[in-house]
Amino acid sequence: MRWRVLLVDDSTDDAELARIELHGAGIATDCRHVDSEASLIAALADFSPHLVLSDLNMPGFSGEHAFAIVRERAPAARFVFLTGALEDDTPLPPADAVLLKHELHALPGLVRELLGA
């Protein structure tokens, strides 16, 4: 099975690194990258992802807001915050997981666990 993975990130390079990590681990994916609320909504309508990987801190758009949109429009999709840093005192919405970008090597194992890939 090919898994549809939606990457929500203002950094094209970071989204590409996540895609490369999954591909390198032999996980069959079709990835799409979005970086705004409008492009997220469009992708949820026509791409129907199995998994959403979202940055937390993006200019003009937050991971928390992305989470709310995904839960409303694609409630069956698994959701992972993939971020460069976490604020110790900031509570996060109840995503399926949180992974720091410097721990990207753990992404394939996490995806296999969440999707049964």
Side-chain angles (χ1 to χ4, degrees), residues 48-73:
S48 189
H50 297 104
L51 173 67
V52 177
L53 302 174
S54 178
D55 193 3
L56 268 172
N57 305 304
M58 299 172 279
F61 187 52
S62 72
E64 292 94 342
H65 190 61
F67 177 82
I69 292 169
V70 170
R71 283 295 172 252
E72 176 185 320
R73 296 175 182 256

Side-chain angles (χ1 to χ4, degrees), residues 23-24 29 34 44 59 65 69 72 90 93 105 110:
H23 179 76
T29 60
V34 300
L44 291 173
H65 190 61
I69 292 169
E72 176 185 320
T90 304
H105 63 276
L110 178 61

Side-chain angles (χ1 to χ4, degrees), residues 3-110:
W3 300 101
R4 290 181 304 279
V5 178
L6 185 58
L7 303 154
V8 183
D9 202 313
D10 60 308
S11 169
T12 301
D13 290 343
D14 286 350
E16 182 64 10
L17 288 173
R19 188 199 66 75
I20 289 169
E21 193 70 36
L22 294 172
H23 179 76
I27 299 174
T29 60
D30 291 323
C31 293
R32 185 175 293 183
H33 172 229
V34 300
D35 62 1
S36 68
E37 179 178 358
S39 59
L40 171 61
I41 290 170
L44 291 173
D46 69 5
F47 185 61
S48 189
H50 297 104
L51 173 67
V52 177
L53 302 174
S54 178
D55 193 3
L56 268 172
N57 305 304
M58 299 172 279
F61 187 52
S62 72
E64 292 94 342
H65 190 61
F67 177 82
I69 292 169
V70 170
R71 283 295 172 252
E72 176 185 320
R73 296 175 182 256
R78 306 306 296 263
F79 193 99
V80 174
F81 285 114
L82 182 61
T83 188
L86 289 173
E87 300 286 329
D88 290 334
D89 58 348
T90 304
L92 293 176
D96 292 296
V98 176
L99 184 66
L100 295 175
K101 289 181 179 179
H102 71 269
E103 298 174 342
L104 205 54
H105 63 276
L107 183 60
L110 178 61

